[in-house]
Amino acid sequence: MKQNLQARFREQFGRYGDVMHDRWLNTPGWQRWILYVVLIVGALLLPSESIGSFMSPYTDWASILFFPIGTYVVLAIGLNVVVGQAGLLDLGFVAFYAVGGYAMALIGTELGWNFWLILLAGIGICALSGITLGGPTLRLRGDYLAIVTLGFGEIIRITARNTDSIGGPNGIRGIPHPPSIDELNVFGVDLYDLLGVKFFKYGVLDPRPYYYLLVALAVIVIILVKRWEKSRVGRAWAAIREDEDAAEVMGVPTFRFKMLAFAIGASIGGAMGVLWASKVISLNPNDFQFLLSATILAAVVMGGAGNLPGVMLGAFVVAWLPERFRGLQEYRMLIFGAVLVALMIFRPEGLLPSRQRKAELKEGAGGMGTLGAEVPGPESHGEEVASK
């Protein structure tokens, strides 16, 4: 009886999601752009203190918006390219975040480059790191690939801890901030005085300028990822995720597209690392634990792997709930875990799954390439899975 209630709830919720998805697909382009602009404006207004009193009553809301919420959202978008679209299970994604952070710290303190040059250099270094990792490992599949990427993430962290030239366990201090703009005049009007917010005044005390910079980075990343998703590249990733052998037989150069997914995901993670390091005064290897990779992966799966809005929602929930429960002190992580378990019971395919992934789960394939093909879905029968 309990299972029937859960199945009925999932079915009704899924049907409602399908109706909304169909309505969105039939919406004219100009109406979509209006909604996009409204969402961007809403994101810029989020640091409001009136919202913060509810969203984060125990900590500074503007700080929480930058880290962990905004950081998790951008990292989840990058990991979704690898896991959700290409079906490659990556457990060491935090390594690229660390490479980007250390690139910002080293180049900024040793060479004194401008932040924007370091951002471009960091993206290039992380893309090269993704290719370096993917070259010898992307012949592996499923859990073997997961173990190798997990090891890569730990190698980066342990190497940083044992290398004295980059600070060892103490890390690097004195990381420079992005260049500030002290005056912002348009036709003789000081916009800082008019708006009351210093968008481009980067320092230690006010986290809001970094949050606005993060929103700009997120918008650029979302546009690029959506373009790739709808292109030939995105269709190749979907084919690899569904059945890599079949895709290769049909002429898809699977290794090349998997390498591209790794490089793009690493670049996004590295860009976020550069931005994060430019805000903090110092970083050290303990900032890049495996737990961060696991949390971002949980956000992707819980939000709906392969569906960009779902992934962003999942990252928001995973990052926000522990801060919302901070008043519960030592019980907050227990409550947070219980909420995640409840969400996965009622929405095993994710909060906002793509239709394709829902179909994969219904047929018994988890939608994560060869690893997911072994995982039974919520409505599949154990005998059917065992016979495959």
Side-chain angles (χ1 to χ4, degrees), residues 43-189:
L44 294 176
L45 296 177
L46 271 183
S48 169
E49 294 181 359
S50 58
I51 300 174
S53 60
F54 168 75
M55 298 296 288
S56 178
Y58 309 103
T59 48
D60 180 52
W61 173 234
S63 299
I64 299 302
L65 272 177
F66 178 82
F67 187 89
I69 293 177
T71 301
Y72 280 25
V73 168
V74 176
L75 290 177
I77 293 172
L79 185 59
N80 182 57
V81 173
V82 181
V83 175
Q85 296 189 24
L88 307 171
L89 189 54
D90 184 357
L91 295 182
F93 193 68
V94 69
F96 305 116
Y97 180 55
V99 171
Y102 269 95
M104 175 66 208
L106 280 172
I107 299 176
T109 54
E110 299 293 334
L111 303 179
W113 286 14
N114 182 278
F115 166 79
W116 302 106
L117 289 177
I118 301 175
L119 179 61
L120 295 177
I123 291 173
I125 292 171
C126 290
L128 187 61
S129 301
I131 294 172
T132 304
L133 171 64
T137 61
L138 284 178
R139 301 292 182 190
L140 303 174
R141 298 183 185 182
D143 45 358
Y144 297 103
L145 179 61
I147 292 170
V148 171
T149 53
L150 170 62
F152 178 72
E154 287 298 291
I155 288 171
I156 292 293
R157 185 178 65 83
I158 293 172
T159 301
R161 192 177 64 189
N162 293 293
T163 306
D164 293 334
S165 59
I166 57 174
N170 296 322
I172 300 174
R173 299 178 181 176
I175 303 171
H177 300 295
S180 298
I181 299 177
D182 296 324
E183 295 183 358
L184 192 61
N185 292 312
V186 176
F187 302 114
V189 178

Side-chain angles (χ1 to χ4, degrees), residues 315-363:
F316 183 90
V317 171
V318 167
W320 172 62
L321 284 182
E323 299 301 329
R324 188 64 183 83
F325 295 149
R326 187 169 288 277
L328 300 175
Q329 299 179 354
E330 65 265 28
Y331 299 107
R332 72 181 182 115
M333 296 311 293
L334 177 66
I335 302 298
F336 172 60
V339 171
L340 293 188
V341 170
L343 287 175
M344 294 315 297
I345 289 175
F346 289 104
R347 297 291 294 170
E349 65 273 23
L351 293 173
L352 290 176
S354 64
R355 284 186 172 182
Q356 196 169 9
R357 178 165 162 74
K358 280 177 66 177
E360 290 167 359
L361 281 164
K362 192 172 183 179
E363 293 174 0

Side-chain angles (χ1 to χ4, degrees), residues 256-270:
R256 190 187 308 168
F257 281 108
K258 288 195 296 184
M259 189 82 83
L260 181 62
F262 248 59
I264 291 174
S267 301
I268 296 173

Side-chain angles (χ1 to χ4, degrees), residues 165-346:
S165 59
I166 57 174
N170 296 322
I172 300 174
R173 299 178 181 176
I175 303 171
H177 300 295
S180 298
I181 299 177
D182 296 324
E183 295 183 358
L184 192 61
N185 292 312
V186 176
F187 302 114
V189 178
D190 191 334
L191 293 183
Y192 282 167
D193 292 336
L194 181 65
L195 300 175
V197 179
K198 295 186 175 181
F199 293 99
F200 305 108
K201 182 69 174 177
Y202 300 100
V204 177
L205 299 179
D206 190 359
R208 289 178 298 176
Y210 298 96
Y211 170 71
Y212 299 134
L213 187 57
L214 188 147
V215 171
L217 174 65
V219 170
I220 294 172
V221 169
I222 289 170
I223 292 173
L224 292 176
V225 169
K226 288 300 289 183
R227 297 293 296 176
W228 283 318
E229 183 181 346
K230 294 180 178 178
S231 68
R232 176 171 170 265
V233 174
R235 292 193 292 274
W237 286 339
I240 294 170
R241 186 188 64 211
E242 293 293 311
D243 191 327
E244 185 176 343
D245 293 329
E248 194 153 5
V249 169
M250 295 301 292
V252 176
T254 56
F255 183 78
R256 190 187 308 168
F257 281 108
K258 288 195 296 184
M259 189 82 83
L260 181 62
F262 248 59
I264 291 174
S267 301
I268 296 173
M272 190 60 242
V274 170
L275 179 56
W276 174 78
S278 71
K279 178 185 180 300
V280 297
I281 298 175
S282 65
L283 57 78
N284 64 71
N286 290 329
D287 295 327
F288 310 105
Q289 301 279 350
F290 165 71
L291 182 61
L292 183 57
S293 283
T295 305
I296 300 301
L297 181 61
V300 171
V301 174
M302 196 186 74
N307 188 29
L308 198 55
V311 166
M312 295 170 64
L313 177 62
F316 183 90
V317 171
V318 167
W320 172 62
L321 284 182
E323 299 301 329
R324 188 64 183 83
F325 295 149
R326 187 169 288 277
L328 300 175
Q329 299 179 354
E330 65 265 28
Y331 299 107
R332 72 181 182 115
M333 296 311 293
L334 177 66
I335 302 298
F336 172 60
V339 171
L340 293 188
V341 170
L343 287 175
M344 294 315 297
I345 289 175
F346 289 104

